[in-house]
């Protein structure tokens, strides 16, 4: 049986919308992915999963 590689979860920066591959956590039977600690493009530290991005409402009161 062939091994199927895990596809990394992707995260979108809530500030500048840059997309990042999640960091794998191999501590369990399945691989969980976590967002970066901060965006390398703008420095923001809040991310949303790309699957949830379509439902994410950015606060435009800046």
């Amino acid at each position: 049986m062939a091994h199927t590689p895990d596809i990394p979860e992707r995260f979108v920066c809530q500030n500048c919308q840059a997309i990042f591959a999640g960091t794998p956590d191999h501590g369990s039977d399945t691989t969980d992915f976590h967002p970066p600690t901060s965006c390398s493009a703008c420095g923001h530290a809040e991310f949303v999963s790309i699957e949830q991005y379509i439902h994410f409402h950015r606060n435009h009161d800046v």
Side-chain angles (χ1 to χ4, degrees), residues 9-14 47-58:
E9 185 174 350
R10 293 170 291 169
F11 296 92
V12 180
C13 173
Q14 291 183 11
F47 297 86
V48 63
S49 170
I50 200 162
E51 289 83 11
Q52 295 302 315
Y53 183 70
I54 192 72
H55 305 291
F56 171 72
H57 299 286
R58 183 173 170 193

Side-chain angles (χ1 to χ4, degrees), residues 3-61:
H3 172 73
T4 304
D6 289 324
I7 297 174
E9 185 174 350
R10 293 170 291 169
F11 296 92
V12 180
C13 173
Q14 291 183 11
N15 185 54
C16 72
Q17 290 75 49
I19 299 174
F20 296 88
T23 303
D25 177 12
H26 300 289
S28 62
D29 291 339
T30 60
T31 302
D32 294 322
F33 293 92
H34 304 282
T37 55
S38 65
C39 177
S40 59
C42 73
H44 197 73
E46 294 184 38
F47 297 86
V48 63
S49 170
I50 200 162
E51 289 83 11
Q52 295 302 315
Y53 183 70
I54 192 72
H55 305 291
F56 171 72
H57 299 286
R58 183 173 170 193
N59 183 1
H60 293 286
D61 300 330

